[in-house]
């Protein structure tokens, strides 16, 4: 048996078409969703991500603006910019691209973004709401992962979901989302003992550890859904996930590829959050 491949690329495309129609409708109601991205410094990977975000906004009709600030920008200057954007009625989403230069405290910046405009879902208010099950802007990658699992048509309720990784960006929030869907959730990480024994019990296995091809078929129960969040560039230039795709695909029921799996969903959920924020701000549903 060979797993069905969940194409994040295709799912993302289809969701973006729906979002495009939703924006046309919002515009008819006088609301034009707008996202502002702040990029501080010249980290090459961040530049690529920010360009991708800008392009994705343009393609579906979200107004987008990128504010580029110098590497030497002080925390004060960045906070001032955020305060201005918090007040700007035409800005519905604010995203500060991470990582930030070392003179700036990331936490102070995330805390300064108005929770209603926090399209990354990183503000403690949004994280807290997710934890207690209130509606909030959801972090993009975890939300994208949930959509990919839903795509398989598998009921999440009652399933054993095992997450490898406990980062604030992926592992922790995806665990909370799966719990909210009534999965039985086990969170594992680099210090977990007997990892294979635990992951072997997973009906749904979410892998977000950042170690190239670490998860081999010995970690996977036959028939499991395997979601690979890793993006690792090998010395030979090849991009691989945290899962050894070629062998795990033979025993999983569904598996996401890298690239073309979780990656394209992250920006899609950012677009969705920007629309959500615009609707919330204008009291539309
Ligand atoms: N840098 C890498 N991933 C992300 C993300 O999801 N949001 C922000 N703001 N910065 C990032």
């Amino acid at each position: 048996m060979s797993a069905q491949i969940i194409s994040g690329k295709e799912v993302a495309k289809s969701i973006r078409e729906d979002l495009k129609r939703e924006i046309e409708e919002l515009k008819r109601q006088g609301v034009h969703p707008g996202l502002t991205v702040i990029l501080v410094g010249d980290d090459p990977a961040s530049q690529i991500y920010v360009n991708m975000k800008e392009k994705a906004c343009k393609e579906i009709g979200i107004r987008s603006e990128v504010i580029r600030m110098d590497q030497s920008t002080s925390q004060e200057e960045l906070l001032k910019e955020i305060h201005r954007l918090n007040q700007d009625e035409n800005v519905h989403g604010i995203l500060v691209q991470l990582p930030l230069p070392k003179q700036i405290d990331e936490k102070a910046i995330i805390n300064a973004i108005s929770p209603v405009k926090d399209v990354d879902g990183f503000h403690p208010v949004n994280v807290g709401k997710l934890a207690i099950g209130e509606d909030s802007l959801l972090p993009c990658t975890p939300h994208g992962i949930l959509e990919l699992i839903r795509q398989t048509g598998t009921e999440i309720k009652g399933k054993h979901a095992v997450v490898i990784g406990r980062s604030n960006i992926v592992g922790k929030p995806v665990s909370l989302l799966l719990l909210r869907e009534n999965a039985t959730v086990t969170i594992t990480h680099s210090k977990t003992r007997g990892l294979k024994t635990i992951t072997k019990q997973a009906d749904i296995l979410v892998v977000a550890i950042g170690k190239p091809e670490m998860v081999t078929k010995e970690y996977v129960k036959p028939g499991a859904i395997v979601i690979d969040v890793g993006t690792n560039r090998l010395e030979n230039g090849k991009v691989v996930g945290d899962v050894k795709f070629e062998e795990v695909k033979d025993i999983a029921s569904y598996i996401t590829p890298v690239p073309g799996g979780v990656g394209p969903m992250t920006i899609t959920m950012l677009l969705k959050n920007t629309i959500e924020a615009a609707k919330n701000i204008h009291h539309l549903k």
Side-chain angles (χ1 to χ4, degrees), residues 38 46 49 53 95-99 120 122 140-141 169 266:
I38 304 181
S46 289
Y49 289 137
K53 288 170 186 174
L95 182 147
V96 178
Q97 186 67 28
L98 304 175
D120 261 328
F122 291 167
C140 302
T141 303
I169 293 187
T266 298

Side-chain angles (χ1 to χ4, degrees), residues 207-212 229-232 242:
V207 190
I209 31 175
K211 291 199 182 125
V229 191
T231 305
N232 311 285
D242 293 346

Side-chain angles (χ1 to χ4, degrees), residues 3 15 18 51 81 85-86 90 95 145 162-163 165 179 185 190 205 211 230 253 257 280-281:
I15 295 176
D18 292 344
N51 289 341
E81 199 59 32
L85 295 168
N86 282 342
N90 293 318
L95 182 147
I145 293 169
V162 176
V163 177
L179 184 61
V185 181
S190 57
L205 181 62
K211 291 199 182 125
S253 59
N280 291 341
I281 289 166

Side-chain angles (χ1 to χ4, degrees), residues 27-248:
K27 281 194 198 164
R28 277 193 285 276
Q29 297 180 52
V31 174
H32 191 173
L35 172 71
T36 298
V37 175
I38 304 181
L39 172 61
V40 187
D42 34 42
D43 179 74
S46 289
Q47 307 229 26
I48 294 172
Y49 289 137
V50 167
N51 289 341
M52 283 166 72
K53 288 170 186 174
E54 192 177 24
K55 182 165 165 267
C57 283
K58 293 234 160 72
E59 275 170 7
I60 69 160
I62 289 179
R63 226 169 350 93
S64 89
E65 174 196 26
V66 179
I67 299 177
R68 291 184 167 81
M69 300 177 82
D70 199 81
Q71 180 77 23
S72 65
T73 300
S74 70
Q75 182 164 316
E76 283 297 294
E77 286 169 301
L78 180 53
L79 285 172
K80 204 170 144 198
E81 199 59 32
I82 293 170
H83 293 145
R84 184 182 70 76
L85 295 168
N86 282 342
Q87 302 298 324
D88 186 337
E89 284 178 7
N90 293 318
V91 175
H92 303 106
I94 303 170
L95 182 147
V96 178
Q97 186 67 28
L98 304 175
L100 289 167
K102 58 184 179 311
Q103 72 275 16
I104 301 176
D105 175 19
E106 226 165 78
K107 268 195 222 151
I109 299 307
I110 291 171
N111 283 329
I113 297 170
S114 165
V116 295
K117 298 190 176 184
D118 168 38
V119 284
D120 261 328
F122 291 167
H123 191 286
V125 164
N126 287 321
V127 178
K129 283 185 170 180
L130 170 60
I132 61 175
E134 277 186 34
D135 284 345
S136 62
L137 291 169
L138 298 175
C140 302
T141 303
H143 193 187
I145 293 169
L146 190 66
E147 288 298 326
L148 291 180
I149 297 169
R150 286 201 178 115
Q151 275 295 313
T152 67
T154 310
E155 189 172 45
I156 298 173
K157 184 172 69 183
K159 295 281 160 58
H160 188 191
V162 176
V163 177
I164 317 182
R166 54 170 155 180
S167 70
N168 288 334
I169 293 187
V170 183
K172 269 187 228 168
V174 82
S175 303
L176 289 167
L177 274 178
L178 288 162
L179 184 61
R180 200 165 86 171
E181 296 296 318
N182 294 307
T184 300
V185 181
T186 303
I187 308 174
T188 68
H189 48 81
S190 57
K191 307 289 188 296
T192 297
R193 293 186 192 162
L195 181 62
K196 271 184 210 169
T197 325
I198 301 169
T199 58
K200 263 261 180 204
Q201 297 169 34
D203 304 307
I204 299 168
L205 181 62
V206 178
V207 190
I209 31 175
K211 291 199 182 125
E213 299 183 316
M214 193 199 89
V215 171
T216 54
K217 65 178 188 309
E218 287 77 32
Y219 286 76
V220 181
K221 176 165 90 171
I225 298 175
V226 180
I227 308 288
D228 187 353
V229 191
T231 305
N232 311 285
R233 191 174 286 277
L234 302 180
E235 274 176 17
N236 65 12
K238 194 178 167 210
V239 173
V240 298
D242 293 346
V243 174
K244 199 156 192 173
F245 183 83
E246 279 310 318
E247 60 176 65
V248 173

